[in-house]
Every structure is written in structure tokens, then in C-alpha cells.
Amino acid sequence: MNQLRTTGTVKIVGAGLLGTSIGLALRQAGADVVLADQSKASVALAVDYGAGRAATANDEPALIVVCVPPDQVAEMVERELAASPRAIVTDVASVKGEILESLRAAGVPLQNYVGSHPMAGRERGGAISGRADLFFTMPWVLAIHEGANPAAVAAVEALALDLGATPIRTTPEAHDRAVALVSHVPQLVSSLLAGRLVGAEASDLALAGAGLRDTTRIAASDPKLWLQIFAANSGEVASILKKLSRDLVEAVSALDNLDAPGSLAKLGELMAAGNAGVAAIPGKHGARNASYSQLIVLIDDKPGELARLLTEIGEIGINLEDLKLEHSPGAQIGLVELYVLPKVEVALAEALVARGWRLAG
Amino acid sequence: MNQLRTTGTVKIVGAGLLGTSIGLALRQAGADVVLADQSKASVALAVDYGAGRAATANDEPALIVVCVPPDQVAEMVERELAASPRAIVTDVASVKGEILESLRAAGVPLQNYVGSHPMAGRERGGAISGRADLFFTMPWVLAIHEGANPAAVAAVEALALDLGATPIRTTPEAHDRAVALVSHVPQLVSSLLAGRLVGAEASDLALAGAGLRDTTRIAASDPKLWLQIFAANSGEVASILKKLSRDLVEAVSALDNLDAPGSLAKLGELMAAGNAGVAAIPGKHGARNASYSQLIVLIDDKPGELARLLTEIGEIGINLEDLKLEHSPGAQIGLVELYVLPKVEVALAEALVARGWRLAG
């Protein structure tokens, strides 16, 4: 078990998805958690879920985690720092620079504050979507400003570790630049791309494949939340979008003048840069790991077949690293994609075929 | 079993991923298949794989499927129509209008030709990546030109059905317009977005999440193939990109002038259009269907646990519509996302909890 690092009472302000998830995880780990929210119903729900107890005027929190909507964070951090002068205060907003500026402009002493940003979320919000494992293995960014007390940094890092997250130390400026590139720009581009589908013929959209689905999935995100994020990080986002806009104009110009010298070379350059860019993304979270080998098994599409396959893989004694089920409604067979370590791929394939399973390819 | 509709010998010209996959599927269904390729090694490999036998001068194919690279298709179709005047000829290129124009400009009689485009592929190419199930349940577009013989259309549709694909009848023009929107523009936008990552700090990229990965996945595609596709459909692609470019300029202008009246409203409009666009994409292939309910089960990360879960779901008697395994290397637990019809969600949740499984959330 992961021994608790956080000491004292933790107060969570804002019992939405993130606040409730933090409370659930801390309670599971044995911490004392109190919950506050301007909505009494949200607090009651989060308490019912097991995310902590309702905050009272007598609490003396050692750590306060502000989980309110982005445009209310600065004000709430200021209020909590004033109300609990000895407590460490953090927040979980997606953009850090603007909050820090607001606090500084208001003359708030900030040695006990450290902004943070857990890189985790779900498409659905609210206490009801809270999950104790939401932060498990995900990056948790500490955006450390000049003047932050090292003890405050340590307390927030302890919180991240208690939640199973991977703490990453950086500055508010570097954080905002990074998330503009890896999160905010992809969001806006995905939204613009999906927006181009509005008004398209249904028969055209019927040809949509995995490429369109993947590139537009996050376009389903909540505009209200994202407007706050874009507004808070508009400079960094606009700066990258301007470069992207230039690339786009060059691509259009090349397509419009295919016979002109250099047009195809320009398109080729842009495509090759795309290859290089995607290759530069590290790690695995949320993606199939290319370092696993894939086996595809065809199974009858009926209850029990997948269980029978996995039972036999268990008997063979090989651990699956990942698994994906491709199920086509109305079809008689399904495809099961098994991901295993390369060194056991051949052994698993042979054992499955020997047991009568059909492998694709 | 799916009874064979295709009659006579099928000749496949080009033993790459698509040609080999078509051959494998037709052979499995019992058809007579001959393979031709300018590379003898490719033919030999495809023959070894079971995709058919090597073509000879004595073959009298009833159906010829041209699977060569896009820029060689028109010439090959012309050659095959001349060599086998009684055969039906189709091709599988991603853009149809330009091929048709080339053939017409060359004065080739086209009653026995029907262009087609199977909406299927893999990131890897070559005979070695061929799979008999590549087209299973995927759309197979028939791009029917004026003057095509109905018997030719029927023969190509029979081929699609024999491969387990879903035939869709349209015109070359409508096809090219549709794929520009649902395939070519998303590809180029994904490549440009990923291209912006080149030169980024590794510590910035370390914050990448599922959103960046999904939006840039197809940016790993082969530039050589895509340059041919863009070149063949440049008009349709450029036309959509110009609209996207205008949207992008508007977004940048709004970000640069956030305090100006209407700026946030404009960004909100663009985000809302993205919501509407992604909601307009039909069906399921390659995406989680939002019409299923999701249950998340925590399991111990060891061989046999997933099998035990699925065995019990089989005992409960509920059919899974989809399943996703979230496995974190080194972790003691895994998350299994179960997708079921909404009407059985509560029953399954209750039965699993009663059997001692831990549900998340």
C-alpha cells in the first residue's frame, strides 16, 4: 500500500469532478477530508459518495485544494489564504499564469500558495462522475512561482503522490506554454475541424472512418469550460495558432498551384513534419503502446466467448498488456485485439491456434 | 457462411496491402484468384500467404481489381480493359474523379469499368500486412460514372459483399467531395497540428494527454501515399481548407482581442459548431458508441482476473457491446470499461457488486 504522506485535515473547495475525485482518493488512503461548495447539494452528494465530511467553521485545515471553475479560482485562493493563514493552498485550474497575476495584483502574500494542474479529467463533470483513481499515474503539474515556500511545494507534491499521480515541477509560465501546445491548441483545432462537418450531407458523413473520429473526439467537450481556459491562456494559444495558420495557408497555396515548382515538396515537408511531431510525443497514457505486439483473434459474437478466450489465455499463463474489442452490431464475429510483450507473442499465437482459435492476418 | 457471389477468375493487379487482403478473403471464400505485380517477389509473397496463384498469359479473368499506387491506376485500368475486353475492371484508389478524367481523355471505352474505394486500411502496408478481414463491415464505395454497364456495377458490388464489406453506391464527384471532408482534410490538419510539435521542449510534450494523441495519431501516415491523394483531390481539399482557414483566422482574432465585443461569443460559436459536427458523425466503427452505457470495474492486474470477470458476466447472461482495458504498467489494479445496452446497465452493476467486484465511481 501507498503510505499516506499528507498530514492534517485537507479541505476541498468545490465538490465537482476533480474535488470529489481528490476527496475519494484521500479518504481511501485514510486522510481527514472536509468538503465545501457554494452548492449544499453538491457537498451532500460528495459526502454520500465517501469523498469526506462537510466543512464547518471549526475546521483547521493544513492543506486547502481549490477546485472551483477557472474564473473563480483567484478569488477563492485569496479568501482561503486569508481565512487559514497557516494552511498551504493549491488549486487545480488548467491555466496558471493569469491566476498568479490576479493574486499578485491584489497584493496577496503567496508564500503558502502553489498552483497545480492535474492532467486528468473526464468528458462528464460533477461529483457523480468522481473517481478515486482519476489521477492514477497521470502527470500532476506543480507550477511553482518565485517566493513559494519549499514546505508548500512539498505539501502539494505529497498530495499528488498520495493520489497516485506523477508530480512534475515547473513554473507557471512554462506550464501555460506547454498546455497551449499539447492541450489547448489541439482542442481548438479539433473543434474547428468538427465544425466543418456541420451541414454536410449525411451520405458524405457515412464514409467517416477512425481518422475523422479520432481527430474530432475532443470536439465534443464543454464549450463553457473551454472558453474560460482559452481566455486565460489566449496569448500562448494565439501564438501557436498563428504559426498553424501560416502552415495552413501554405498548404492551401500548394494545393491551388500543384504544377508550380516546389508545391509538392512543400506538402511533403508539412507531412514529414507531422510524422516527426507525432514521433516526439512520449509515453503511453491513452494510446496503444507501439512497444507491444498485437494479435487479433476472431471470436463468435455471443456471451461467454470472450471469457472463454481470456480463460484460456490465463491457462496459457501469459499476461495481457492491453486488449481491445471490435464489435460490429449485427455481425456474427468480433475481433479481439490482444497486446502482449513482444517476447511472448509467438508463444501465445501458437498456443491459441493449437486450442482452435482463429487468428486474423 | 457467406455464399460466394463472384463468378469466374478474379485477377488482382498489385500485391500490396489491399490486393493481398482482397486475395486472402476471396480465396477463403473459395474464389479462383490470380495475382500480378511488377515485383515478382511481392507476387511470390502473396501467393505464399494464400492470396491466390501467380497470374499467367493464359488467364481469362472475369473481374480485374487494380490495386496499384494511385498515380499508376489510370494507366493500369486502361491496359487491363484492353487486354481483357470482356472482363469487368475496378480499382481501389482513394480518389475517383481524376482517374475517370484520365481514362476519358485517353478515349478508353468505360462501360466495363467501375471505380471503387474500400474505406479500410492499416498504418502498415505491403503484402505482409494483408488480412482477410480487412474489409469486414467497412464501407466499400462504388463510384459509378455515366455509361457504366449495370452488370459491371453488379459485379463490383458482388465483390464487396463477398469480402464482407458494406457497398455504397455514389458518383465519382460525390465520393471525392465526401472523402475530402471526412478523410483528406482531417489527415492534413492532423499532420499540420503534429508538425507544430517539432522542436518543442521534451518537458512540454511530457504533459501530452489522450487529446493530443487522438488528434495527431494519423499524422504518422505515409507522406508519399498522401501526396498522391492530395494531388488527385486538390480542388475539394483546398476548398474545405479555405473555410477552415477563415475559421482559424477568426479564432485567432478573437483570442487577440478578447475584450472586444463579440470575441468570446465568436469562440463559443466555433466550439458549439464543433459539438454539433462531432454529433453528426454516424455509426460506430472505430469509436465508442455514446448510446452504450459504461461501467468501470477495478480488477487485480494478474493473469486470469479479466477472464474471471468475463466468465461471470457470461453467467449473468448479459452481452457486452464493447470493452476496453486500461492497464497501467507496474500498477496493482487495472480498469475494465464495460459497454452495455443502457437497459441492462443497472442489472449488470448490481449483479457484479453482489459477486464482490469493485465498480469505480
Side-chain angles (χ1 to χ4, degrees):
Chain A
M1 280 302 298
N2 202 356
Q3 281 185 347
L4 195 63
R5 292 167 187 80
T6 297
T7 54
T9 296
V10 180
K11 179 181 182 183
I12 295 170
V13 184
L17 169 68
L18 294 180
T20 302
S21 296
I22 293 169
L24 286 170
L26 284 175
R27 285 297 303 134
Q28 278 193 8
D32 182 40
V33 179
V34 298
L35 298 157
D37 195 298
Q38 62 182 24
S39 154
K40 285 185 183 175
S42 293
V43 170
L45 184 60
V47 170
D48 279 353
Y49 262 56
R53 56 195 171 85
T56 70
N58 299 325
D59 301 321
E60 291 189 4
L63 175 65
I64 300 169
V65 189
V66 172
C67 304
V68 299
D71 58 356
Q72 303 167 26
V73 169
E75 193 191 332
M76 192 61 76
V77 167
E78 178 177 0
R79 193 188 304 179
E80 294 294 332
L81 283 169
S84 302
R86 296 196 312 188
I88 307 302
V89 177
T90 189
D91 71 296
V92 297
S94 307
V95 183
K96 308 313 315 175
E98 202 188 52
I99 292 167
L100 191 65
E101 274 170 42
S102 296
L103 290 167
R104 281 181 171 152
V108 178
L110 291 174
Q111 65 275 17
N112 285 350
Y113 167 74
V114 177
S116 60
H117 179 204
M119 306 302 288
R122 302 184 73 184
E123 275 120 22
R124 288 170 295 181
I128 204 163
S129 302
R131 278 169 49 172
D133 58 13
L134 189 66
F135 311 101
F136 190 64
T137 75
M138 305 305 281
W140 184 296
V141 181
L142 284 81
I144 305 166
H145 61 277
E146 277 224 24
N149 191 326
V153 175
V156 177
E157 191 159 87
L159 171 71
L161 290 167
D162 282 339
L163 299 172
T166 307
I168 295 177
R169 294 186 181 200
T170 185
T171 63
E173 299 72 31
H175 166 272
D176 289 356
R177 184 191 66 204
V179 290
L181 184 67
V182 304
S183 170
H184 305 171
V185 164
Q187 173 63 55
L188 192 47
V189 169
S190 180
S191 294
L192 296 180
L193 183 60
R196 283 286 116 228
L197 303 177
V198 173
E201 301 279 343
S203 55
D204 287 5
L205 294 178
L207 300 187
L212 182 68
R213 279 165 223 283
D214 282 356
T215 50
T216 60
R217 181 182 61 80
I218 56 173
S221 302
D222 177 21
K224 214 175 89 199
L225 173 66
W226 275 97
L227 284 186
Q228 293 185 24
I229 294 173
F230 292 141
N233 205 22
S234 58
E236 295 286 355
V237 173
S239 153
I240 299 166
L241 285 182
K242 282 169 193 168
K243 294 175 195 157
L244 187 68
S245 189
R246 281 199 295 272
D247 293 343
L248 188 52
V249 166
E250 287 190 338
V252 170
S253 163
L255 288 167
D256 275 347
N257 304 283
L258 274 181
D259 296 334
S263 285
L264 277 175
K266 182 73 222 174
L267 284 174
E269 251 172 58
L270 292 169
M271 292 289 296
N275 287 175
V278 76
I281 306 172
K284 166 166 189 280
H285 298 291
R288 307 285 159 189
N289 191 326
S291 69
Y292 295 142
S293 295
Q294 183 205 48
L295 283 177
I296 296 168
V297 185
L298 283 68
I299 64 167
D300 288 345
D301 185 24
K302 61 185 186 192
E305 276 300 281
L306 186 57
R308 192 164 69 82
L309 171 65
L310 293 167
T311 300
E312 298 200 4
I313 294 170
E315 287 167 6
I316 295 164
I318 286 174
N319 202 10
L320 294 182
E321 301 302 327
D322 204 348
L323 177 149
K324 189 162 178 293
L325 181 62
E326 281 289 337
H327 172 279
S328 306
Q332 296 304 306
I333 63 164
L335 302 180
V336 184
E337 299 180 13
L338 306 175
Y339 294 81
V340 295
L341 295 176
K343 63 180 177 184
V344 299
E345 177 193 1
V346 172
L348 179 59
E350 289 176 356
L352 288 174
V353 169
R355 286 163 176 260
W357 293 99
R358 291 164 63 200
L359 300 192
Chain B
M1 280 302 296
N2 202 354
Q3 282 188 347
L4 195 63
R5 294 168 186 80
T6 298
T7 54
T9 297
V10 179
K11 179 180 181 183
I12 295 170
V13 183
L17 169 67
L18 294 181
T20 302
S21 296
I22 293 170
L24 286 169
L26 284 175
R27 286 296 303 133
Q28 278 194 8
D32 182 40
V33 180
V34 299
L35 299 158
D37 195 297
Q38 62 182 23
S39 154
K40 284 186 185 174
S42 293
V43 170
L45 184 60
V47 169
D48 279 352
Y49 262 56
R53 56 196 170 83
T56 69
N58 299 324
D59 300 322
E60 291 189 2
L63 175 65
I64 300 168
V65 188
V66 172
C67 304
V68 298
D71 59 355
Q72 303 166 27
V73 168
E75 193 191 333
M76 192 60 77
V77 167
E78 179 177 359
R79 193 188 303 178
E80 293 295 331
L81 283 169
S84 304
R86 295 197 314 189
I88 307 302
V89 177
T90 189
D91 72 295
V92 296
S94 308
V95 183
K96 307 315 311 177
E98 202 188 52
I99 292 167
L100 191 65
E101 273 171 43
S102 296
L103 290 167
R104 280 182 171 151
V108 179
L110 292 174
Q111 66 275 15
N112 285 349
Y113 167 74
V114 177
S116 61
H117 180 204
M119 307 302 290
R122 302 184 72 183
E123 275 122 22
R124 288 170 294 183
I128 204 164
S129 301
R131 276 169 50 172
D133 59 11
L134 189 65
F135 310 102
F136 189 64
T137 75
M138 305 304 281
W140 185 296
V141 181
L142 284 82
I144 306 167
H145 61 276
E146 277 224 22
N149 192 326
V153 175
V156 177
E157 191 160 87
L159 171 70
L161 290 167
D162 282 340
L163 299 173
T166 306
I168 295 177
R169 296 185 179 200
T170 185
T171 63
E173 298 73 32
H175 167 272
D176 289 356
R177 184 190 65 204
V179 291
L181 184 67
V182 304
S183 170
H184 305 171
V185 164
Q187 173 63 55
L188 193 46
V189 169
S190 180
S191 294
L192 296 181
L193 183 60
R196 285 285 116 228
L197 303 177
V198 173
E201 301 280 343
S203 55
D204 287 4
L205 294 178
L207 300 188
L212 183 68
R213 280 165 222 283
D214 283 356
T215 49
T216 60
R217 183 183 59 83
I218 56 174
S221 302
D222 177 22
K224 214 175 89 199
L225 173 66
W226 275 98
L227 284 186
Q228 294 185 24
I229 294 173
F230 292 142
N233 205 22
S234 58
E236 295 286 355
V237 173
S239 154
I240 299 167
L241 286 182
K242 283 170 193 168
K243 293 174 195 158
L244 187 69
S245 190
R246 281 200 295 271
D247 293 342
L248 189 51
V249 167
E250 287 190 339
V252 170
S253 162
L255 288 167
D256 275 346
N257 304 282
L258 272 181
D259 296 333
S263 285
L264 277 174
K266 183 72 224 174
L267 284 174
E269 250 172 59
L270 292 169
M271 292 291 294
N275 286 176
V278 76
I281 305 173
K284 168 167 190 283
H285 298 291
R288 307 287 157 187
N289 190 327
S291 69
Y292 295 141
S293 296
Q294 184 205 47
L295 283 177
I296 297 168
V297 185
L298 282 70
I299 64 168
D300 287 345
D301 186 23
K302 61 184 186 191
E305 276 301 280
L306 186 57
R308 192 165 69 83
L309 172 64
L310 293 167
T311 300
E312 298 200 5
I313 293 171
E315 288 168 4
I316 295 165
I318 285 173
N319 202 10
L320 293 182
E321 301 303 326
D322 204 348
L323 178 150
K324 189 161 179 293
L325 183 62
E326 281 289 337
H327 172 279
S328 306
Q332 297 304 308
I333 62 164
L335 302 181
V336 184
E337 298 181 12
L338 306 175
Y339 294 81
V340 295
L341 294 177
K343 63 180 177 185
V344 299
E345 177 193 0
V346 172
L348 179 59
E350 289 177 356
L352 288 174
V353 169
R355 285 162 176 262
W357 293 98
R358 290 164 63 200
L359 300 192

